[in-house]
Amino acid sequence: KLVDKEGRPVVGARIGSDIRSQDGQLSWYYQSEQRDCAVSDADGKVVLQGQQMFYPGASRQSSCMLFAVQEQERLAGSASVADRDFGQTIQLTMQPACRVHGQFVCPELSDRADAQDFPVNTYLSYVGQGMVHRVLCHDTDKQEFEALLAPGRYEMNCESRDANRKWTARATRLLDVLANKRELDLGQIVLRLQDYE
């Protein structure tokens, strides 16, 4: 059940365990397949099946992170789900989402004609409760990052790779998204060349 900080139902929020973003346009995946995502109803309720979140053969000790976004109201929330939660109602409190944005740069590639418009893949993982859960895969050809994130700590891993595999550039950083912060400008996200033939 999705509620806001006052306990009121959050209607129309999309929720899933594998979110992908192409230049800010969200797509929802379950077990690496794009599907229609679950959407909260007028009571803020969503029903998810275990097979939507966990691969067949997953151990009973497995857990995953549910991530919910209500884009019109700019609300977001996350909750860890494990075996003990099956058959139970989980209440997820949605909070004001933070618009996190930045620009990718790679100084070592600035003078290379074949690397002027390099694509960047970014994986964001939520760090908390003693675990790390990937919550968002962001792809862009525009060298810009933008996402709506719930409060919390995230690990950001960015990678750009030449189509001919002549070079790879990477960046890693931790993000702390504070409660009630509505905007976080990361400035320049500097990718460093890792492999150069």
Side-chain angles (χ1 to χ4, degrees):
K1 183 175 181 179
L2 308 181
V3 297
D4 63 16
K5 291 194 292 186
E6 285 73 42
R8 296 172 300 207
V10 174
V11 182
R14 297 191 290 169
I15 186 167
S17 59
D18 189 0
I19 309 171
R20 303 185 189 183
S21 169
Q22 179 70 40
D23 290 320
Q25 186 73 21
L26 297 181
S27 301
W28 301 74
Y29 285 70
Y30 298 94
Q31 298 181 13
S32 300
E33 291 183 17
Q34 185 174 357
R35 303 184 192 174
D36 291 337
C37 68
V39 179
S40 58
D41 64 16
D43 296 318
K45 292 183 179 177
V46 178
V47 176
L48 290 169
Q49 302 296 324
Q51 61 264 31
Q52 287 181 275
M53 298 175 286
F54 294 92
Y55 285 98
S59 76
R60 297 186 75 85
Q61 287 73 42
S62 296
S63 64
C64 78
M65 184 67 71
L66 287 177
F67 201 78
V69 178
Q70 214 294 0
E71 292 179 88
Q72 290 74 29
E73 302 290 332
R74 282 190 63 178
L75 297 173
S78 58
S80 180
V81 177
D83 178 68
R84 65 183 176 278
D85 298 312
F86 280 77
Q88 308 293 320
T89 298
I90 300 167
Q91 184 161 300
L92 193 163
T93 301
M94 304 284 283
Q95 301 183 57
C98 181
R99 176 179 168 259
V100 180
H101 56 96
Q103 183 176 13
F104 297 109
V105 296
C106 185
E108 296 146 311
L109 294 175
S110 60
D111 60 345
R112 287 177 56 93
D114 66 338
Q116 294 303 307
D117 297 314
F118 53 90
V120 182
N121 304 106
T122 300
Y123 297 95
L124 273 181
S125 299
Y126 182 85
V127 181
Q129 302 170 352
M131 297 184 182
V132 177
H133 292 281
R134 193 183 85 189
V135 294
L136 178 68
C137 174
H138 179 276
D139 300 323
T140 182
D141 294 325
K142 299 176 183 176
Q143 294 83 54
E144 295 176 353
F145 176 85
E146 182 172 337
L148 286 177
L149 297 178
R153 170 165 273 201
Y154 298 85
E155 182 180 87
M156 184 179 197
N157 290 289
C158 317
E159 179 180 88
S160 182
R161 188 184 295 268
D162 172 43
N164 297 319
R165 299 191 177 272
K166 292 185 178 178
W167 53 264
T168 301
R170 294 189 176 96
T172 301
R173 66 194 295 181
L174 287 175
L175 307 179
D176 284 310
V177 178
L178 304 179
N180 297 314
K181 188 172 182 68
R182 300 307 298 257
E183 185 130 355
L184 177 58
D185 186 353
L186 302 176
Q188 289 190 336
I189 304 165
V190 180
L191 282 72
R192 294 296 182 190
L193 215 59
Q194 302 289 310
D195 186 21
Y196 199 156
E197 291 181 5

